[in-house]
C-alpha cells in the first residue's frame, strides 16, 4: 500500500520569510503525522532557504513515522544524513541555486559516484533511493548502483496530464515496471496533486511512497491542513 510522505519545505519557507518561529515547523510536522500522513520529507539545501540542517536534527527525535531526507549528496549533506540516520535518504542531483528539483540522475554517467554513496548510506542502515527521470534504462542502472528504491521525477506526468493522462503516464509505467523487474522499490514525487494523484496510483499500484509538498501546502490554504491530508490519503488508499 502506498504511503504519503509530506514534504514540509514550504512551511519552513513561510517561517523564514519573516524570521522567528511562525509557523512552527516542528509542530507542523507532528500535526501532519497526527492527521494521518505516514512520513515526513525534508530537502535541506546549502543556503538553508527553507529547511535548515538544524530543523532536520530537531525533527528526528520527534517523529513517529518514516523520516526521509532528500538532497544533493555533497559532503555536508552526507555528514548530516549519517549523523541523523533517517529511515530513508533520497539522492537528488539539484544544483545549489536550483529553485526546485528539475531533473533526475543520469545513473549511467554517475554510476561510480552513486555506487559509492549508496554503499556509504546503506552501511549506516539507511534505505537509499535515487531520484530518476522516467526512463527504464535509468532504473536499470540505478539498480546496478546498489540503491534500494528509485523515485520517479513526476513533473512531466503532472504537466502533460491535462492533455492526456494515458500518454502522460506511459513512460512512468515503463520505468516503474523496469524498476520492479530489477527488484527495486518505487517512490514518486514532484507536482503530484489532488487532480492527478489517484490515476497515477491506479496505474502503478506498487508505488511504495509518494512525497508531496508544494501542492499539498497550497491546498491547505483553502481546505486546512488536516482536511488536505485526508483528501490526499483518499486518492492513495484506493485498493
Amino acid at each position: 500500500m502506498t504511503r504519503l510522505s509530506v514534504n514540509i519545505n514550504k512551511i519552513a519557507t513561510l517561517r523564514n520569510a519573516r524570521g522567528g518561529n511562525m509557523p512552527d515547523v516542528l509542530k507542523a510536522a507532528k500535526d501532519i503525522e497526527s492527521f494521518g500522513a505516514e512520513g515526513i520529507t525534508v530537502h535541506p539545501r546549502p543556503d538553508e532557504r527553507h529547511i535548515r540542517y538544524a530543523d532536520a536534527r530537531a525533527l528526528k527525535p520527534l517523529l513517529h513515522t518514516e523520516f526521509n531526507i532528500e538532497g544533493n549528496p555533497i559532503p555536508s549533506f552526507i555528514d548530516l544524513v549519517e549523523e541523523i540516520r533517517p529511515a530513508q535518504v533520497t539522492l537528488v542531483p539539484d544544483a545549489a541555486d536550483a529553485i526546485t528539483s528539475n531533473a533526475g540522475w543520469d545513473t549511467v554517467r554517475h554510476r561510480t559516484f552513486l555506487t559509492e554513496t549508496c554503499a556509504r548510506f546503506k552501511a549506516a542502515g539507511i534505505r537509499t533511493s535515487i531520484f530518476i527521470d522516467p526512463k527504464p534504462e535509468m532504473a536499470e542502472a540505478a539498480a546496478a548502483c546498489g540503491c534500494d528504491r528509485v523515485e520517479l521525477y513526476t513533473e512531466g506526468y503532472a504537466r502533460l496530464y491535462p492533455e492526456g493522462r494515458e500518454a502522460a503516464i506511459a513512460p512512468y509505467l515503463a520505468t516503474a515496471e523496469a524498476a520492479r523487474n530489477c527488484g527495486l522499490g518505487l517512490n514518486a514525487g514532484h507536482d503530484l496533486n489532488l487532480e492527478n494523484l489517484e490515476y497515477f496510483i491506479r496505474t502503478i499500484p506498487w508505488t511504495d511512497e509518494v512525497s508531496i509538498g508544494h501542492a499539498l501546502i497550497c491546498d491547505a490554504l483553502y481546505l486546512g491542513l488536516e482536511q488536505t491530508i485526508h483528501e490526499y490519503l483518499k486518492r492513495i488508499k484506493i485498493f
Side-chain angles (χ1 to χ4, degrees), residues 56-92:
R57 294 185 177 99
L59 282 164
K60 175 63 188 296
L62 297 179
L63 299 180
H64 301 289
T65 60
E66 286 199 352
F67 191 21
N68 172 46
I69 302 180
E70 62 180 31
N72 194 340
I74 61 176
S76 60
F77 179 87
I78 292 174
D79 291 343
L80 177 74
V81 173
E82 288 184 325
E83 173 192 343
I84 295 173
R85 299 200 176 195
Q88 177 175 268
V89 59
T90 302
L91 311 181
V92 183

Side-chain angles (χ1 to χ4, degrees), residues 128-172:
T128 305
S129 177
I130 297 178
F131 195 64
I132 64 168
D133 294 320
K135 300 176 181 179
E137 63 271 23
M138 292 298 107
E140 292 161 358
C145 295
C147 63
D148 302 291
R149 295 184 182 181
V150 290
E151 178 173 334
L152 298 179
Y153 171 47
T154 49
E155 185 277 335
Y157 165 72
R159 174 169 41 83
L160 296 174
Y161 181 89
E163 302 172 15
R165 62 186 190 177
E166 292 83 4
I169 206 167
Y172 292 88

Side-chain angles (χ1 to χ4, degrees), residues 22-229:
M22 184 182 293
D24 185 328
V25 170
L26 303 184
K27 181 180 185 302
K30 292 190 292 183
D31 288 341
I32 288 166
E33 286 187 323
S34 72
F35 298 152
E38 296 141 315
I40 297 294
T41 291
V42 296
H43 188 143
R45 288 185 164 87
D47 62 6
E48 297 195 322
R49 64 181 180 269
H50 34 63
I51 285 291
R52 301 166 181 154
Y53 279 32
D55 294 326
R57 294 185 177 99
L59 282 164
K60 175 63 188 296
L62 297 179
L63 299 180
H64 301 289
T65 60
E66 286 199 352
F67 191 21
N68 172 46
I69 302 180
E70 62 180 31
N72 194 340
I74 61 176
S76 60
F77 179 87
I78 292 174
D79 291 343
L80 177 74
V81 173
E82 288 184 325
E83 173 192 343
I84 295 173
R85 299 200 176 195
Q88 177 175 268
V89 59
T90 302
L91 311 181
V92 183
D94 55 348
D97 60 351
I99 295 175
T100 186
S101 305
N102 54 22
W105 285 97
D106 183 334
T107 51
V108 175
R109 180 180 177 186
H110 297 285
R111 178 173 175 174
T112 299
F113 173 72
L114 291 171
T115 298
E116 293 171 351
T117 305
C118 288
R120 185 166 175 175
F121 286 135
K122 291 180 70 174
I126 304 166
R127 185 173 69 231
T128 305
S129 177
I130 297 178
F131 195 64
I132 64 168
D133 294 320
K135 300 176 181 179
E137 63 271 23
M138 292 298 107
E140 292 161 358
C145 295
C147 63
D148 302 291
R149 295 184 182 181
V150 290
E151 178 173 334
L152 298 179
Y153 171 47
T154 49
E155 185 277 335
Y157 165 72
R159 174 169 41 83
L160 296 174
Y161 181 89
E163 302 172 15
R165 62 186 190 177
E166 292 83 4
I169 206 167
Y172 292 88
L173 178 57
T175 308
E177 289 174 338
R180 181 169 61 173
N181 291 339
C182 292
L184 294 176
L186 184 71
N187 298 339
H190 207 92
D191 291 345
L192 295 174
N193 58 38
L194 290 175
E195 179 183 359
N196 59 42
L197 179 57
E198 182 172 341
Y199 181 71
F200 188 95
I201 298 301
R202 286 192 180 279
T203 307
I204 311 175
W206 62 93
T207 304
D208 291 298
E209 174 188 293
V210 290
S211 176
I212 304 176
H214 183 78
L216 189 150
I217 300 304
C218 289
D219 290 328
L221 293 175
Y222 295 93
L223 301 176
L225 189 54
E226 182 173 8
Q227 183 59 36
T228 298
I229 298 292

